[in-house]
Structure formats: C-alpha cells, structure tokens
Amino acid sequence: MNPSGTAVSAPGKVLLAGGYLVLDREYTGLVFGLNARIHVHVKPLPTSSGVALSEIIVRSPQFIDAEWRYGYRLADNNGGIEVTQLKDLSASSLSRNPFVETALGYALSYITTIITPNIEPSVITILADRDYYSQPDQPLPQASSPNQSQFIDFQVPLHEAHKTGLGSSAALVTALCASLLTHYLPNDVVTLSMASARAFANPNESVVRPKRSFESDKKNEKKTRLSLESRGSDSPNGQSPIDSGKARLHNLAQAAHCAAQGKVGSGFDVAAAVYGSCIYKRFSPSVLEDLGPVGSPGFARRLKNVVEDTNPAKKWDVQIFKSAVSVPRGLRLVMCDVDCGSQTVGMVKQMLAWRRRKPVYVNNLWTHLQRRNEEFGSTLTKLARSHYPNQNYETLAYIISAIRSLVREMTAMSGVPVEPPGQTLLLSYCSSLTGVIGGVVPGAGGYDAIALLVEDRDDVMRRLHEVLSRWGYNPDGGEGPAMGRARVLGVREEMEGVRAESNHQYSAWL
C-alpha cells in the first residue's frame, strides 16, 4: 500500500457503429475509447494511534457537497464485504451513489478472496476530465489547448450536472475497481501500466478470454497475480498471458456495473474502459446469473469464480478485438455535444419491442447494417495501414452515408429517434464542410451528441467550432426537445484503456 496514494484512470467511449445491434451476440459494435478520462485516487485515511476505523470516504470535489462516507464489514458465511452509506456523516446524505457503492462492495469482496480480509480505511477522490459534463454557461476552448485545465469546478451538485454521454459510469466503475485492487493488494500481486507515450496499442493485438489462471507461489501461499499491463502481443491461441489481469478486471467491472445498473447491459462501455478502442461482441447474460447480492452466503466465492472465469458451466464468451480498430494517420474523431440528453433505457425497450413484433424485417435490416459496420471498421484499418501520403476518403464517406441511411430506416420504422430529423440536419450540414468525412449519431442515438470523422487539421477544427457555435434549432419543427448550440468537445479517439497515473496532477484537488 502506497502511503502517498494510488491513482488510476479509465477512458470514456463512443459506440461509433453497432447501436442496438451490440445487444445481440449475433452482431458486434465498433467502439472507440476517448481521451476524456475518469480518474480515481486512493490513499490511506489517517487515524489516531490505537483507533480502529472501518470507514471509506469518497469525494468528488468538482461538485457541490459531493462526499459519501461508507462503513464496511466482513459478512458471515463467505458473504464478502458489505458496504453501508453513513448518511449522518455524508455531505450528500440524501443521495446514494449506486455505482460507487456497488463497485466498493464488489472490489473489496474480491480482494478478500486473495489476501487476509483486513481492509484499512481509505480516502478516495474521483475526478472527471472537463468534457464529461456540459458547460452551457462557459465557452469551450479550442480543443485540448496546452493551457487548458484538465479538471474544473463544475459549480453544481452532481445530480444537476448534464452528462455529455461519454460513458462516465463505466469509466468510473472500472477506474475505481482497478484503483482498489492496486491500492490494497501487494505489488507482487497486482501491477498496472503507467501512462506513457504508448498512446496507441500494437495493431496486431487481440483479446479473448483467458484459457487458464496464472498463479505465483510465494512462501507456500498461492496468490493470483493480476497484471493489468498490456504488451501488445499475441500468443498462438490469441491470448497473451499478460492480458489475464485485464480480463479479470474486465469481469469484475462488468459484474459491478451491471449490479449498479440493476440489469445486464451489453457491456461495450466497460470493455472500452478496460481495453480502449476495440471491436466488441457481448457476453451471454447468463454468466452473471446467480451471483446474488453482496453479503449473501457464498457471495465472495461466486464472485471469485466469475472474475477468474473458473465456473465451467458459465464461461465468459465475450470477444474483444483490438487489431480490428485503427484510425488512419491524418484523421481524427470529433465529438459534439448538443446538451439535450435522451432517455436511453426507454429507447432500448421500444426498439426491442419493435424487433419482437417484426423479427424477420428487423433481423434483415440489422444484418445489412452489420455488413456496413464491418466495412466501416475494415476500411478504417486498411487506410491506417496504408503508406500513401495522400489518402482518398471517398469510399469511407460513402460507407458512413450508407450506414446513416439504414439507421434512418430503423428510426422511421421503429419510431425510436436513433437519428431524429434535427440530428440529420446537423450531420448533413457538417458532412458538407471541407475536411469532414462524415458523421453519425453514436450509441443508442437520440439528441445528446454527434460523432464526426474529420481530417486532423487546425483549419478544419476552427471551421467546425465557428459553424457549430452558431448552430441552434428545434430539431423536429416544434415537436422534439429544443437544442441550444452544438459544441465541439475537446476529446478525440484513444486506443489505450485503463492505466496507472502519477499522483502529482491531482495535488490541487486532494
């Protein structure tokens, strides 16, 4: 345990292709990590000599009154670590933070299966890069200025902050689980790669589930070694031994995130937080069945089986391919916030109900969309591996246009606003600008954001900022949510997933 603290970050995400399809194992999603990160710093909680505490303080100092205090106890009958919010001592005493609370219970319960269950009190600080939340009253800088503060005071309570849809909950759960593992487990048990110049993964790297566990024997005690470092190499079966730790972190974060949401989602956002940009095929929901609540008899044992994939009857079948994702040199991803979020859960329910009513039609449409999505990914990768100095992006632009056509058909036939008319206007206008290859409404669609693929040039970015700063309209001729001006966020694609960070960048917030 490092007395000065342990810091970890995990990236946000954008599902560029495969919205709704990614819910079904017959299809895949093309997901990009983003360089907007959630950071978690953990350090020991100072106590007076002879005073024993079982308390964890969680702070989010960028928001007003965002502090939660938790007590914890080792449950009987191998039930793991039960975490309880101490409401009388919490600044946010009237609000729960289910993602923090659940991640604490899951991570600490798993830790007790590896070492003697002696969890010392700690202080956890959570920080979000500025682009995770809309800032309607503040002008956004021209993306990623060197003088731009990485963290800002949002000056509102957390429940009043407007998310920009970059996957904050998945990044939070992943970073929190990873930081707890690295904080509480000895250095010879867990390692995590530091942030470095290795911003892009080896294009030949792929990831599948581990075929075996990797254990070291020290002083006759078996300890599961979790190496969360990625060396970017493939073994003959597609699994690099160094990836086994990331696989376990992925499994732990998926289980905790699903429990916090109260449902088993597709998991692409957690996969991006752990691995970075990838092609993702979801896991079977049955993998997480029968875990039960934290504290129930045998929970810690069941969780260990899930995390380490040792239950032969319920093996992880998720597929994550990093080698299939690249962005060509000279292009970049741009995210635009329109500060008008959508109710994703309701949209998903409506989409699935439509699929049940029209299974033949929907499956045929989704199969065509899957083919176009695969073309999109393969064309990006082909361009990235090309050495021609002057690339032609006409084919890429055509594929993006074809994807949007199918998505608009899905919108019209299902009644779900995946690409609503207002977003169609915005995307079509942006796509007509010099240097913009094309764009989509990412993820489940709706009104909260668009993603553009553009030439990585200063003049293109300046033009986008100028144009979008003047954009404002009611998207559906008076029927849809009124959007203010669209704004370019200071984020772009990133290939790297979860990583360790240096403590010094957080000094002003600790």
Side-chain angles (χ1 to χ4, degrees), residues 329-398:
R329 188 178 301 276
L331 293 185
R332 63 162 293 176
L333 195 64
V334 173
M335 296 295 297
C336 301
D337 171 38
V338 292
D339 195 20
C340 185
S342 305
Q343 296 295 321
T344 303
V345 174
M347 292 168 66
V348 170
K349 288 181 178 178
Q350 189 177 348
M351 181 66 71
L352 296 180
W354 173 60
R355 189 185 186 193
R356 287 192 295 271
R357 292 195 305 270
K358 304 283 187 179
V360 176
Y361 178 85
V362 175
N363 290 343
N364 182 59
L365 176 61
W366 284 14
T367 297
H368 281 83
L369 189 52
Q370 171 71 17
R371 289 172 184 162
R372 287 299 189 187
N373 292 343
E374 290 173 354
E375 283 185 271
F376 186 23
S378 63
T379 302
L380 279 172
T381 302
K382 182 179 179 181
L383 287 168
R385 292 173 177 172
S386 172
H387 299 293
Y388 292 110
N390 298 314
Q391 299 278 22
N392 185 319
Y393 302 121
E394 290 182 3
T395 299
L396 191 59
Y398 172 79

Coordinates of all heavy atoms in Angstrom, one line a residue, residues 329-398:
R329 N -3.7 7.8 -39.9 CA -3.0 9.0 -39.7 C -3.6 10.1 -40.6 O -3.8 9.9 -41.8 CB -1.5 8.8 -40.0 CG -0.6 9.9 -39.6 CD 0.8 9.6 -39.8 NE 1.3 8.4 -39.1 CZ 1.7 8.4 -37.9 NH1 1.8 9.6 -37.2 NH2 2.1 7.3 -37.3
G330 N -3.8 11.2 -40.0 CA -4.4 12.3 -40.8 C -5.9 12.5 -40.5 O -6.5 13.5 -41.0
L331 N -6.5 11.5 -39.8 CA -7.9 11.6 -39.5 C -8.0 11.7 -38.0 O -7.1 11.2 -37.2 CB -8.7 10.5 -40.0 CG -8.9 10.4 -41.5 CD1 -9.9 9.2 -41.9 CD2 -9.4 11.7 -42.1
R332 N -9.1 12.1 -37.5 CA -9.4 12.1 -36.0 C -10.9 12.1 -35.8 O -11.7 12.4 -36.7 CB -8.8 13.3 -35.3 CG -9.4 14.7 -35.8 CD -9.1 15.8 -34.7 NE -9.9 15.5 -33.5 CZ -9.8 16.3 -32.4 NH1 -8.9 17.3 -32.4 NH2 -10.5 16.0 -31.3
L333 N -11.3 11.7 -34.6 CA -12.7 11.6 -34.2 C -13.0 12.9 -33.5 O -12.2 13.4 -32.6 CB -12.9 10.4 -33.3 CG -14.3 9.9 -33.1 CD1 -15.0 9.5 -34.3 CD2 -14.3 8.8 -32.0
V334 N -14.2 13.5 -33.7 CA -14.6 14.7 -33.1 C -16.0 14.4 -32.4 O -16.9 13.9 -33.1 CB -14.7 15.9 -34.0 CG1 -15.4 17.1 -33.4 CG2 -13.4 16.2 -34.6
M335 N -16.2 14.7 -31.2 CA -17.5 14.6 -30.5 C -18.1 16.0 -30.3 O -17.4 16.9 -29.9 CB -17.3 13.9 -29.1 CG -16.8 12.5 -29.2 SD -17.9 11.4 -30.0 CE -19.3 11.5 -28.9
C336 N -19.4 16.1 -30.6 CA -20.1 17.4 -30.5 C -21.2 17.2 -29.5 O -22.0 16.3 -29.7 CB -20.6 17.8 -31.8 SG -19.3 18.1 -33.1
D337 N -21.3 18.0 -28.5 CA -22.3 18.0 -27.5 C -23.4 18.9 -27.9 O -23.2 20.1 -28.2 CB -21.7 18.4 -26.2 CG -22.7 18.6 -25.1 OD1 -23.7 17.8 -25.1 OD2 -22.6 19.5 -24.3
V338 N -24.7 18.4 -27.8 CA -25.8 19.3 -28.1 C -26.6 19.5 -26.8 O -27.7 20.1 -26.9 CB -26.7 18.8 -29.2 CG1 -26.0 18.8 -30.5 CG2 -27.2 17.3 -28.9
D339 N -26.1 19.1 -25.7 CA -26.7 19.4 -24.3 C -28.2 19.1 -24.3 O -29.0 19.9 -23.8 CB -26.4 20.8 -24.0 CG -26.6 21.1 -22.5 OD1 -26.6 20.1 -21.7 OD2 -26.8 22.2 -22.1
C340 N -28.6 17.9 -24.7 CA -30.0 17.6 -24.7 C -30.1 16.1 -24.7 O -30.4 15.4 -25.7 CB -30.8 18.2 -25.9 SG -32.5 17.9 -25.8
G341 N -29.9 15.5 -23.5 CA -29.8 14.0 -23.4 C -31.1 13.3 -23.7 O -32.2 13.8 -23.7
S342 N -30.9 12.0 -24.1 CA -32.1 11.1 -24.4 C -32.2 10.1 -23.3 O -31.3 9.8 -22.6 CB -31.8 10.4 -25.7 OG -31.5 11.4 -26.8
Q343 N -33.5 9.6 -23.2 CA -33.8 8.5 -22.3 C -33.4 7.2 -22.9 O -34.3 6.5 -23.5 CB -35.2 8.6 -21.8 CG -35.6 9.8 -21.1 CD -34.9 10.0 -19.8 OE1 -34.7 9.0 -19.0 NE2 -34.4 11.1 -19.4
T344 N -32.1 6.8 -22.8 CA -31.7 5.6 -23.5 C -32.4 4.3 -23.1 O -32.8 3.5 -24.0 CB -30.2 5.4 -23.2 OG1 -29.5 6.6 -23.6 CG2 -29.6 4.2 -23.9
V345 N -32.8 4.2 -21.8 CA -33.4 2.9 -21.4 C -34.8 2.8 -22.1 O -35.1 1.7 -22.6 CB -33.6 3.0 -19.8 CG1 -34.5 1.8 -19.4 CG2 -32.3 2.9 -19.1
G346 N -35.6 3.9 -22.1 CA -36.9 3.8 -22.8 C -36.7 3.6 -24.3 O -37.5 2.8 -24.9
M347 N -35.7 4.1 -24.9 CA -35.4 3.9 -26.3 C -35.1 2.4 -26.6 O -35.6 1.8 -27.6 CB -34.3 4.8 -26.8 CG -34.7 6.3 -26.8 SD -33.3 7.4 -27.1 CE -32.8 7.0 -28.8
V348 N -34.3 1.8 -25.7 CA -33.9 0.4 -25.9 C -35.1 -0.5 -25.8 O -35.3 -1.4 -26.6 CB -32.8 0.0 -24.9 CG1 -32.6 -1.5 -24.9 CG2 -31.5 0.7 -25.2
K349 N -36.0 -0.2 -24.8 CA -37.2 -1.0 -24.6 C -38.1 -0.9 -25.8 O -38.6 -1.9 -26.3 CB -37.9 -0.6 -23.4 CG -37.2 -1.0 -22.0 CD -38.1 -0.5 -20.8 CE -37.4 -0.9 -19.6 NZ -38.1 -0.5 -18.4
Q350 N -38.2 0.3 -26.4 CA -39.1 0.5 -27.5 C -38.5 -0.3 -28.8 O -39.2 -0.9 -29.5 CB -39.2 2.0 -27.8 CG -40.2 2.3 -28.9 CD -40.4 3.8 -29.1 OE1 -39.9 4.6 -28.3 NE2 -41.1 4.2 -30.1
M351 N -37.2 -0.2 -28.9 CA -36.5 -0.9 -30.0 C -36.7 -2.4 -30.0 O -37.0 -3.0 -31.0 CB -35.0 -0.5 -30.1 CG -34.3 -1.1 -31.3 SD -34.8 -0.5 -32.9 CE -34.1 1.2 -32.8
L352 N -36.5 -2.9 -28.8 CA -36.6 -4.4 -28.6 C -38.0 -4.9 -28.8 O -38.3 -6.0 -29.3 CB -36.0 -4.8 -27.3 CG -34.5 -4.6 -27.0 CD1 -34.1 -5.0 -25.7 CD2 -33.7 -5.3 -28.1
A353 N -39.0 -4.0 -28.4 CA -40.4 -4.4 -28.6 C -40.7 -4.4 -30.1 O -41.4 -5.3 -30.6 CB -41.3 -3.4 -27.9
W354 N -40.2 -3.4 -30.8 CA -40.4 -3.4 -32.3 C -39.7 -4.7 -32.9 O -40.3 -5.3 -33.8 CB -39.7 -2.2 -32.9 CG -39.7 -2.1 -34.4 CD1 -40.8 -2.1 -35.2 CD2 -38.5 -2.0 -35.2 NE1 -40.4 -2.0 -36.5 CE2 -39.0 -1.9 -36.5 CE3 -37.2 -1.9 -34.9 CZ2 -38.1 -1.8 -37.6 CZ3 -36.3 -1.8 -36.0 CH2 -36.8 -1.8 -37.3
R355 N -38.6 -5.1 -32.4 CA -38.0 -6.3 -33.0 C -38.8 -7.5 -32.8 O -38.9 -8.4 -33.6 CB -36.6 -6.5 -32.4 CG -35.7 -7.5 -33.1 CD -34.4 -7.8 -32.4 NE -33.6 -8.7 -33.2 CZ -32.5 -9.3 -32.7 NH1 -32.1 -9.1 -31.5 NH2 -31.8 -10.1 -33.5
R356 N -39.4 -7.6 -31.6 CA -40.3 -8.7 -31.3 C -41.5 -8.7 -32.2 O -42.0 -9.8 -32.6 CB -40.7 -8.7 -29.8 CG -39.6 -9.1 -28.9 CD -40.2 -9.3 -27.5 NE -40.7 -8.1 -26.9 CZ -40.1 -7.2 -26.2 NH1 -38.8 -7.4 -25.9 NH2 -40.7 -6.2 -25.6
R357 N -42.0 -7.6 -32.6 CA -43.2 -7.5 -33.5 C -42.8 -7.8 -34.9 O -43.6 -8.4 -35.6 CB -43.8 -6.1 -33.4 CG -44.5 -5.8 -32.1 CD -45.4 -4.5 -32.2 NE -44.7 -3.4 -32.8 CZ -44.0 -2.5 -32.0 NH1 -44.0 -2.6 -30.7 NH2 -43.4 -1.4 -32.6
K358 N -41.6 -7.4 -35.3 CA -41.2 -7.6 -36.7 C -39.9 -8.3 -36.8 O -38.9 -7.7 -37.4 CB -41.1 -6.2 -37.4 CG -42.4 -5.3 -37.3 CD -43.4 -5.8 -38.3 CE -44.6 -4.8 -38.3 NZ -45.6 -5.3 -39.3
P359 N -39.8 -9.5 -36.3 CA -38.4 -10.1 -36.3 C -37.8 -10.3 -37.6 O -36.6 -10.1 -37.7 CB -38.7 -11.5 -35.6 CG -40.2 -11.7 -35.8 CD -40.8 -10.4 -35.8
V360 N -38.5 -10.8 -38.6 CA -37.9 -11.0 -39.9 C -37.3 -9.7 -40.5 O -36.2 -9.7 -41.0 CB -38.9 -11.7 -40.9 CG1 -38.3 -11.9 -42.3 CG2 -39.3 -13.1 -40.3
Y361 N -38.2 -8.7 -40.5 CA -37.8 -7.4 -41.1 C -36.6 -6.8 -40.4 O -35.6 -6.4 -41.0 CB -38.9 -6.4 -41.0 CG -38.6 -5.1 -41.6 CD1 -38.7 -4.8 -42.9 CD2 -38.2 -4.1 -40.7 CE1 -38.4 -3.5 -43.4 CE2 -37.9 -2.8 -41.1 CZ -38.0 -2.5 -42.5 OH -37.6 -1.3 -42.9
V362 N -36.7 -6.8 -39.0 CA -35.6 -6.2 -38.2 C -34.3 -7.0 -38.4 O -33.2 -6.4 -38.6 CB -36.0 -6.2 -36.7 CG1 -34.8 -5.6 -35.9 CG2 -37.2 -5.3 -36.6
N363 N -34.3 -8.3 -38.3 CA -33.1 -9.1 -38.5 C -32.5 -8.9 -39.9 O -31.2 -8.9 -40.0 CB -33.4 -10.6 -38.3 CG -33.7 -10.9 -36.8 OD1 -33.5 -10.1 -35.9 ND2 -34.4 -12.1 -36.6
N364 N -33.3 -8.8 -40.9 CA -32.8 -8.5 -42.2 C -32.1 -7.1 -42.3 O -31.0 -7.0 -42.8 CB -33.9 -8.6 -43.3 CG -33.4 -8.4 -44.7 OD1 -32.5 -9.1 -45.2 ND2 -33.9 -7.3 -45.3
L365 N -32.7 -6.1 -41.7 CA -32.2 -4.8 -41.6 C -30.9 -4.8 -40.8 O -29.9 -4.2 -41.2 CB -33.2 -3.8 -41.0 CG -32.7 -2.4 -40.8 CD1 -32.4 -1.7 -42.1 CD2 -33.8 -1.6 -40.1
W366 N -30.9 -5.4 -39.7 CA -29.7 -5.4 -38.8 C -28.5 -6.2 -39.5 O -27.4 -5.8 -39.3 CB -30.0 -6.0 -37.5 CG -30.8 -5.1 -36.6 CD1 -31.4 -3.9 -37.0 CD2 -31.0 -5.2 -35.2 NE1 -32.0 -3.3 -35.9 CE2 -31.8 -4.1 -34.8 CE3 -30.6 -6.2 -34.2 CZ2 -32.2 -3.9 -33.4 CZ3 -31.0 -6.0 -32.9 CH2 -31.8 -4.8 -32.5
T367 N -28.9 -7.2 -40.3 CA -27.8 -7.9 -41.0 C -27.1 -7.0 -42.0 O -25.9 -7.0 -42.1 CB -28.4 -9.2 -41.7 OG1 -28.9 -10.1 -40.6 CG2 -27.3 -9.9 -42.4
H368 N -27.9 -6.3 -42.7 CA -27.4 -5.3 -43.7 C -26.5 -4.2 -43.0 O -25.5 -3.9 -43.4 CB -28.5 -4.6 -44.5 CG -29.0 -5.5 -45.6 ND1 -30.0 -6.5 -45.4 CD2 -28.7 -5.5 -46.9 CE1 -30.3 -7.0 -46.6 NE2 -29.5 -6.5 -47.5
L369 N -27.0 -3.8 -41.8 CA -26.3 -2.8 -41.1 C -25.0 -3.3 -40.5 O -24.0 -2.6 -40.5 CB -27.2 -2.2 -40.0 CG -26.7 -1.0 -39.2 CD1 -26.4 0.1 -40.1 CD2 -27.8 -0.6 -38.2
Q370 N -25.0 -4.6 -40.1 CA -23.8 -5.2 -39.6 C -22.7 -5.3 -40.7 O -21.6 -5.0 -40.4 CB -24.1 -6.6 -39.1 CG -22.9 -7.5 -38.7 CD -22.2 -7.0 -37.5 OE1 -22.7 -6.3 -36.7 NE2 -21.0 -7.5 -37.3
R371 N -23.2 -5.6 -41.9 CA -22.2 -5.7 -43.0 C -21.6 -4.3 -43.3 O -20.4 -4.2 -43.5 CB -22.9 -6.2 -44.3 CG -23.3 -7.7 -44.2 CD -24.1 -8.1 -45.4 NE -24.5 -9.5 -45.3 CZ -25.6 -10.0 -46.0 NH1 -26.2 -9.2 -46.8 NH2 -25.9 -11.2 -45.8
R372 N -22.4 -3.3 -43.2 CA -21.9 -1.9 -43.4 C -20.9 -1.5 -42.3 O -19.9 -0.9 -42.5 CB -23.0 -0.9 -43.6 CG -23.8 -1.0 -44.9 CD -22.9 -0.7 -46.1 NE -23.6 -0.6 -47.3 CZ -23.1 -0.5 -48.5 NH1 -21.8 -0.5 -48.6 NH2 -23.8 -0.3 -49.6
N373 N -21.3 -1.9 -41.1 CA -20.4 -1.6 -40.0 C -19.1 -2.3 -40.1 O -18.0 -1.7 -39.8 CB -21.1 -2.0 -38.7 CG -22.4 -1.2 -38.3 OD1 -22.6 -0.1 -38.9 ND2 -23.2 -1.7 -37.5
E374 N -19.1 -3.5 -40.5 CA -17.9 -4.2 -40.7 C -17.0 -3.6 -41.8 O -15.8 -3.5 -41.7 CB -18.2 -5.7 -41.1 CG -18.7 -6.5 -39.9 CD -19.1 -7.9 -40.3 OE1 -19.1 -8.2 -41.5 OE2 -19.5 -8.7 -39.4
E375 N -17.7 -3.1 -42.9 CA -17.0 -2.4 -43.9 C -16.3 -1.1 -43.4 O -15.2 -0.8 -43.8 CB -17.9 -2.0 -45.1 CG -18.3 -3.1 -46.0 CD -19.2 -2.6 -47.1 OE1 -20.4 -2.5 -47.0 OE2 -18.6 -2.2 -48.2
F376 N -17.1 -0.5 -42.5 CA -16.6 0.8 -41.9 C -15.3 0.5 -41.2 O -14.2 1.2 -41.4 CB -17.7 1.3 -41.0 CG -17.3 2.6 -40.4 CD1 -16.5 3.5 -41.0 CD2 -18.0 3.0 -39.2 CE1 -16.2 4.8 -40.4 CE2 -17.7 4.3 -38.6 CZ -16.9 5.2 -39.2
G377 N -15.3 -0.5 -40.3 CA -14.1 -0.8 -39.5 C -12.9 -1.3 -40.4 O -11.8 -0.9 -40.1
S378 N -13.2 -2.2 -41.3 CA -12.1 -2.7 -42.2 C -11.5 -1.6 -43.1 O -10.3 -1.6 -43.3 CB -12.6 -3.9 -43.0 OG -13.7 -3.5 -43.9
T379 N -12.4 -0.7 -43.5 CA -11.9 0.4 -44.4 C -11.0 1.4 -43.5 O -9.9 1.8 -44.0 CB -13.0 1.2 -45.0 OG1 -13.8 0.3 -45.8 CG2 -12.5 2.3 -45.9
L380 N -11.4 1.7 -42.3 CA -10.6 2.5 -41.4 C -9.2 1.8 -41.2 O -8.2 2.5 -41.3 CB -11.3 2.7 -40.1 CG -12.3 3.8 -40.0 CD1 -13.0 3.7 -38.6 CD2 -11.7 5.1 -40.2
T381 N -9.2 0.5 -40.9 CA -8.0 -0.2 -40.7 C -7.1 -0.3 -41.9 O -5.9 -0.1 -41.8 CB -8.3 -1.6 -40.1 OG1 -9.1 -1.5 -39.0 CG2 -7.0 -2.4 -39.8
K382 N -7.7 -0.5 -43.1 CA -7.0 -0.6 -44.3 C -6.3 0.8 -44.6 O -5.1 0.8 -45.0 CB -7.9 -0.9 -45.5 CG -7.2 -1.1 -46.8 CD -8.2 -1.5 -47.9 CE -7.5 -1.6 -49.3 NZ -8.5 -2.0 -50.3
L383 N -7.0 1.9 -44.4 CA -6.4 3.2 -44.6 C -5.3 3.5 -43.6 O -4.3 4.1 -43.9 CB -7.5 4.3 -44.4 CG -8.5 4.4 -45.6 CD1 -9.7 5.3 -45.2 CD2 -7.8 4.9 -46.9
A384 N -5.5 3.0 -42.3 CA -4.5 3.2 -41.3 C -3.2 2.5 -41.6 O -2.1 2.9 -41.3 CB -5.0 2.7 -39.9
R385 N -3.3 1.3 -42.3 CA -2.1 0.5 -42.7 C -1.5 0.9 -44.0 O -0.5 0.4 -44.4 CB -2.5 -0.9 -42.7 CG -2.8 -1.4 -41.3 CD -3.3 -2.9 -41.3 NE -3.6 -3.3 -39.9 CZ -4.2 -4.5 -39.6 NH1 -4.6 -5.3 -40.5 NH2 -4.4 -4.8 -38.3
S386 N -2.2 1.8 -44.7 CA -1.6 2.3 -46.0 C -0.6 3.3 -45.8 O -0.6 4.1 -44.8 CB -2.8 2.9 -46.8 OG -2.3 3.5 -48.0
H387 N 0.4 3.4 -46.7 CA 1.5 4.3 -46.6 C 1.5 5.4 -47.6 O 2.4 6.1 -47.8 CB 2.9 3.5 -46.7 CG 3.1 2.5 -45.6 ND1 3.2 2.8 -44.3 CD2 3.1 1.1 -45.7 CE1 3.4 1.7 -43.6 NE2 3.3 0.7 -44.4
Y388 N 0.3 5.5 -48.3 CA 0.2 6.5 -49.3 C 0.1 7.9 -48.6 O -0.7 8.0 -47.7 CB -1.0 6.3 -50.2 CG -0.9 5.1 -51.1 CD1 -1.6 4.0 -50.9 CD2 0.0 5.1 -52.2 CE1 -1.5 2.8 -51.7 CE2 0.1 4.0 -53.0 CZ -0.6 2.9 -52.7 OH -0.5 1.8 -53.5
P389 N 0.8 8.9 -49.0 CA 0.8 10.2 -48.3 C -0.5 10.9 -48.5 O -1.0 11.7 -47.6 CB 1.9 11.0 -49.0 CG 2.1 10.3 -50.3 CD 1.8 8.9 -50.1
N390 N -1.2 10.8 -49.7 CA -2.5 11.5 -49.9 C -3.6 10.5 -50.0 O -3.7 9.8 -51.1 CB -2.4 12.3 -51.2 CG -1.3 13.4 -51.1 OD1 -1.3 14.1 -50.1 ND2 -0.5 13.5 -52.2
Q391 N -4.3 10.3 -49.0 CA -5.4 9.3 -48.9 C -6.7 9.8 -49.6 O -7.0 11.0 -49.6 CB -5.7 8.9 -47.5 CG -4.5 8.3 -46.7 CD -4.4 6.8 -47.0 OE1 -4.9 6.4 -48.0 NE2 -3.7 6.1 -46.1
N392 N -7.4 8.9 -50.2 CA -8.7 9.2 -50.8 C -9.8 8.6 -49.8 O -9.8 7.4 -49.6 CB -8.9 8.6 -52.2 CG -10.1 9.0 -52.8 OD1 -11.2 9.1 -52.2 ND2 -10.1 9.3 -54.1
Y393 N -10.7 9.5 -49.3 CA -11.6 9.1 -48.3 C -13.0 9.0 -48.9 O -14.0 8.9 -48.1 CB -11.6 10.1 -47.1 CG -10.3 10.3 -46.5 CD1 -9.7 11.5 -46.4 CD2 -9.7 9.2 -45.9 CE1 -8.4 11.7 -45.8 CE2 -8.4 9.3 -45.3 CZ -7.8 10.6 -45.2 OH -6.6 10.7 -44.6
E394 N -13.2 8.9 -50.2 CA -14.5 8.8 -50.8 C -15.2 7.6 -50.4 O -16.4 7.6 -50.1 CB -14.4 8.9 -52.3 CG -14.0 10.3 -52.8 CD -13.9 10.4 -54.3 OE1 -14.3 9.4 -55.0 OE2 -13.6 11.4 -54.9
T395 N -14.5 6.4 -50.4 CA -15.1 5.2 -50.0 C -15.6 5.2 -48.6 O -16.7 4.8 -48.2 CB -14.2 4.0 -50.2 OG1 -13.8 3.9 -51.6 CG2 -14.8 2.7 -49.8
L396 N -14.8 5.8 -47.7 CA -15.1 5.9 -46.3 C -16.4 6.8 -46.1 O -17.3 6.4 -45.4 CB -14.0 6.5 -45.5 CG -14.0 6.4 -44.0 CD1 -14.2 5.0 -43.5 CD2 -12.8 7.1 -43.4
A397 N -16.4 7.9 -46.8 CA -17.6 8.8 -46.8 C -18.9 8.1 -47.3 O -19.9 8.2 -46.7 CB -17.3 10.0 -47.6
Y398 N -18.7 7.3 -48.3 CA -19.9 6.5 -48.9 C -20.4 5.5 -47.9 O -21.6 5.4 -47.7 CB -19.5 5.8 -50.2 CG -20.6 4.9 -50.7 CD1 -21.7 5.4 -51.4 CD2 -20.5 3.5 -50.5 CE1 -22.7 4.5 -51.8 CE2 -21.5 2.7 -50.9 CZ -22.6 3.2 -51.6 OH -23.6 2.3 -52.0

